[in-house]
């Protein structure tokens, strides 16, 4: 049990949540952060989808890493990821069809997500299944955290809602408040991500 939750394993899980966050530190996965964060619900679903795919693809590649010929390792990784993306896509269509429509092609494009492919190549190919699983969960949740923050700000200020529920009282609109239409545009997500990166690096500057 102590080996399962050793300091090394804990760091594999926790570092991507803060000090080695894939978006704020490595600046990876920006495209989907811009594309699916106009509202909170698709941001949450996308984040959880990437987390599940990253975790399980890490485990699978870790289990078979010693049997994969070096010259075709990228192809094998892509096949594993493509199979998991297809499964996740079908699950989304079956249970949250409206969100899957909002996410459109971006679920399929998870296969090219540089966070996911990077963890397979840099971590899963060199480590066992359990550390690889923790690394996948950590990086997926670190990615999802930024998506949720961006989606929260954009939906609240752009629509006055959260998860589709009105949170800005009607009396506020009666007093003259107007939703910020700029927040619904992809360019604003880039600005918000930039602000999050700046804040994160400023807070963690000394610790790094």
């Amino acid at each position: 049990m102590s080996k399962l939750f050793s300091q090394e394993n804990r760091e594999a899980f926790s570092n991507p949540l803060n000090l080695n966050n894939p978006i704020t530190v490595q600046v990876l996965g920006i495209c989907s952060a811009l594309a699916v964060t106009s509202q909170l619900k698709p941001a949450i679903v996308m984040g959880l989808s990437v987390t599940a795919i990253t975790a399980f693809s890490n485990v699978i590649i870790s289990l078979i890493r010693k049997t994969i010929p070096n010259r075709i390792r990228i192809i094998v990784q892509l096949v594993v990821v493509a199979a998991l993306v297809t499964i996740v896509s079908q699950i989304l269509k079956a249970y949250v069809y409206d969100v899957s429509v909002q996410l459109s092609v971006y679920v399929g494009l998870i296969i090219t997500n540089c966070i996911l492919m990077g963890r397979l190549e840099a971590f899963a190919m060199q480590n066992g299944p359990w550390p690889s699983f923790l690394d996948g969960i950590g990086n997926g949740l670190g990615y999802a955290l930024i998506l949720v923050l961006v989606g929260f700000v954009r939906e609240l200020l752009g629509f006055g809602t959260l998860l589709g529920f009105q949170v800005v009282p009607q009396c506020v609109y009666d007093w003259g408040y107007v939703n910020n239409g700029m927040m619904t545009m992809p360019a604003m997500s880039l600005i918000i991500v930039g602000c999050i990166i700046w804040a994160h690096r400023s807070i963690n500057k000394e610790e790094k």
Side-chain angles (χ1 to χ4, degrees):
M1 182 63 71
S2 60
K3 290 184 179 180
L4 290 178
F5 298 100
S6 64
Q7 182 177 352
E8 186 176 340
N9 287 343
R10 292 199 301 270
E11 288 179 355
F13 172 78
S14 62
N15 280 353
L17 298 177
N18 185 22
L19 295 179
N20 198 27
N21 187 279
I23 292 183
T24 60
V25 177
Q26 302 173 47
V27 196
L28 301 175
I30 295 295
C31 295
S32 53
L34 307 183
V36 302
T37 55
S38 60
Q39 292 182 304
L40 188 55
K41 190 173 182 180
I44 293 173
V45 173
M46 184 66 168
L48 293 178
S49 298
V50 170
T51 300
I53 292 170
T54 305
F56 287 105
S57 61
N58 265 16
V59 170
I60 294 171
I61 292 300
S62 177
L63 287 170
I64 64 175
R65 70 188 187 280
K66 295 181 180 179
T67 65
I68 303 175
N70 188 58
R71 64 184 180 278
I72 63 167
R73 69 186 189 284
I74 300 298
I75 297 174
V76 173
Q77 292 169 12
L78 288 173
V79 170
V80 170
V81 173
L84 291 173
V85 167
T86 301
I87 293 171
V88 169
S89 178
Q90 295 304 311
I91 291 174
L92 293 180
K93 289 178 180 178
Y95 294 100
V96 282
Y97 181 75
D98 57 329
V99 178
S100 71
V101 171
Q102 286 181 279
L103 293 175
S104 184
V105 299
Y106 295 104
V107 173
L109 289 176
I110 292 175
I111 190 175
T112 62
N113 193 307
C114 42
I115 298 172
L116 193 150
M117 296 305 297
R119 298 325 298 167
L120 292 178
E121 185 69 12
F123 198 93
M125 289 294 292
Q126 283 81 40
N127 293 276
W130 177 245
S132 297
F133 178 76
L134 294 177
D135 178 80
I137 290 288
N139 277 276
L141 291 179
Y143 166 85
L145 176 62
I146 304 302
L147 258 65
V148 169
L149 287 175
V150 176
F152 178 89
V153 173
R154 292 183 69 192
E155 182 174 356
L156 180 62
L157 300 182
F159 300 98
T161 63
L162 287 175
L163 295 175
F165 297 100
Q166 190 70 38
V167 295
V168 177
Q170 183 59 43
C171 61
V172 176
Y173 291 104
D174 295 338
W175 293 336
Y177 176 79
V178 179
N179 290 330
N180 187 343
M182 286 286 291
M183 284 291 174
T184 64
M185 301 176 66
M188 285 307 299
S189 61
L190 181 60
I191 293 173
I192 296 170
V193 169
C195 291
I196 293 174
I197 291 174
W198 169 78
H200 178 271
R201 294 189 177 186
S202 297
I203 293 170
N204 293 286
K205 184 177 181 180
E206 292 185 4
E207 194 167 346
K208 286 184 179 179

